[in-house]
Amino acid sequence: MYTEGEEAQDDCGSREEWTLLFWTSLAVVVPVIITLWCSAQRSKRKTHMKDFFRKSKHGWHYTDLFNKPTYCCVCSQHILQGAFCDCCGVCADEQCLRRADRSLSCKEIMAPSSRYGAMEHRWVRGNVPLASYCAVCKQQCGTQPKLCDFRCVWCQTTVHDDCMGSLEDADQCDLGEFHSLIIPPHYLYCVNKLRRRHPDEYSKLASSCGSGWTPVLVLANTRSGNNMGGALLGEFRTVLNPVQVFDLSELNPSKALQLCTLLPPGSVRVLVCGGDGTVGWVLDAIDTMKLKGQDQFMPRVTILPLGTGNDLSNTLGWGAGYAGEIPVEQVLRNILDAEVVKMDSNEYKTHTACRPQVLSMNNYFSVGPDALMALNFHTHREKTPSFFSSRIINKAVYFLYGTKDCLVQECKDLDKRIELELDGERVELPSLEGIIVCNIGYWGGGCRLWEGMGDEPCPPTRLDDGLLEVVGVFGSFHCAQIQVKLANPVRLGQAHTLVLKSSKMPMQVDGEPWAQGPCTITITHKTQALMLYHSAEQTDDDDDESSASETESPTPQDSPRPPGPTSARA
């Protein structure tokens, strides 16, 4: 039997256990409840912010940390997190965001000119770009730790607070360095007022934009390559009229290019920010313009390479890949200096038991290990797109698939499974694993496939000769050897028309792969596209060498030429 003391001790111990259990449960449950509440509030806040940004006339982007000292344009306080407009550059903390949206106007894409017939500056105070200099005193702007100095969102002129009164033509904006690429708001305003929409009327309006006006449209694929498209969209909106910049994840190229029909015929340039697949998508949209009878509005196309291979960009002199090494201002300067060349576009027809399929081929077609690697890569990228966000990772994955194919050799005995005709003549194939048909100079991420190592004579290639270059490879390892210039491809010939009869094989056109059943494929010349070619800039050493050799008379083969006809300035 328990004594009264023992019973009291047991009751006390039991109360302590219940007390400990209560506080332990409270310590676990309360943080969980707080975390769930904060998560719900954050989700609710994010939904409200997204809805607010969607309705706003500004191009707001929220950030948790600004990458440079930033001040709110409403309360003038230093802010670490908040939102900024990628069109006009206005910045605001979360508390002042709605007030900033109401009181501070953004760039107007369409507006009448001033009463004097000129465009007025649109000033935004503070947060001027780094290394900005005052247009009056030529001293650096934005150096004080506060909201100070002004920037015009159109011409990008910066001026000190104290120097604003001394600025000449303070009421007139000339759109700055890139005036010949910008669509002024007053031009679109006048177009909207036109009773008769005719190309002659657009040419008359263009006279108010100055001589040599060649507006540029920017089409960016935010999902391409290293995912730089989103940031580039904002940078181009800052410099150009926002109406000129399009996100291809929200609007397809056919609709974006309809802006060309509101501009003077033959004046428009299109900058495609993306990989070869994105460029092909845009070129197909331009072909659609021809079918609609809009040939005179066809733009000139240039490339900012964001993809993995970027072979067309390499061919046209725009480089093997863009990683932000030069600012967008320099990209626009390069476009101003570019030359117009013509590039063949081919028609690709697949004849099967079903209805024939017709595609466009601008870069290359391949069957065999090259297409098999692209198919494996494409399949896995569709499953986990977030993993394939880096150009280096993409090339590493290609290398792994190529190594696997070296061991498995899924495409061996190709010569027994394929018949090839070039311009109606049957070609006897050696023991190959793959065939590659090129329309441009580069293939495989920067390899000059037709020339190989250059130790064997071969007919020259051009972008506008209507000819296709056809080569064979012995497998994935042979492809790798060709890319590092340790081997040459098997040159099968050049032709205007190619016919290929195949059994079930992996194939690709311009980087778009698929598994093809038995079929007959015909590739022939269709039309020509107008592209912009960028000549490599000479270095000082090149200038010295050219000066030293002025007395020599170089042959046409020695002179650097664009890969097209005699080029005219764009």
Side-chain angles (χ1 to χ4, degrees), residues 427-445:
V427 177
E428 294 297 328
L429 298 175
S431 181
L432 300 172
E433 286 192 27
I435 292 176
I436 303 170
V437 182
C438 288
N439 182 54
I440 60 176
Y442 283 89
W443 161 88

Side-chain angles (χ1 to χ4, degrees), residues 313-376:
S313 172
N314 242 335
T315 301
L316 294 170
W318 297 103
Y322 178 78
E325 61 274 8
I326 60 173
V328 296
E329 289 83 0
Q330 185 58 48
V331 173
L332 294 175
R333 292 185 192 104
N334 292 340
I335 294 175
L336 285 170
D337 295 333
E339 300 177 353
V340 178
V341 297
K342 293 181 179 180
M343 184 186 76
D344 294 327
S345 179
N346 300 281
E347 191 173 67
Y348 169 93
K349 296 181 182 179
T350 305
H351 301 273
T352 61
C354 303
R355 186 173 60 181
Q357 185 180 15
V358 180
L359 300 172
S360 295
M361 188 200 98
N362 299 303
N363 298 354
Y364 51 78
F365 159 81
S366 69
V367 52
D370 177 45
L372 180 61
M373 286 187 286
L375 180 60
N376 289 331

Side-chain angles (χ1 to χ4, degrees), residues 4 37 74 83 85 103 110 283 289 320 344 388 396 453 474 535 563:
E4 291 182 2
W37 182 83
V74 177
C85 175
S103 60
M110 184 172 64
L283 292 177
M289 293 178 66
D344 294 327
F388 297 88
M453 294 186 294
F474 295 117
S535 301

Side-chain angles (χ1 to χ4, degrees), residues 18 20 40 42 89 154 184 272 314 327 369 382 421 456 569:
W18 280 107
L20 180 62
R42 190 182 299 112
W154 288 106
V272 183
N314 242 335
E382 289 294 310
E421 291 182 5
E456 297 179 6
R569 282 282 170 183

Side-chain angles (χ1 to χ4, degrees), residues 131-195:
S132 298
Y133 290 88
C134 177
V136 177
C137 68
K138 311 304 179 184
Q139 299 297 313
Q140 191 169 356
C141 290
T143 55
Q144 301 182 52
K146 63 178 182 178
L147 189 76
C148 62
D149 305 336
F150 291 89
R151 176 182 66 91
C152 175
V153 299
W154 288 106
C155 65
Q156 311 305 319
T157 296
T158 54
V159 59
H160 289 125
D161 294 327
D162 298 336
C163 297
M164 178 62 78
S166 304
L167 181 66
E168 295 182 5
D169 299 327
D171 296 330
Q172 296 185 6
C173 177
D174 62 359
L175 297 179
E177 178 183 1
F178 303 110
H179 62 91
S180 61
L181 300 180
I182 297 174
I183 301 177
H186 65 78
Y187 176 86
L188 294 177
Y189 180 83
C190 293
V191 167
N192 193 45
K193 293 291 184 180
L194 284 176
R195 294 182 178 180

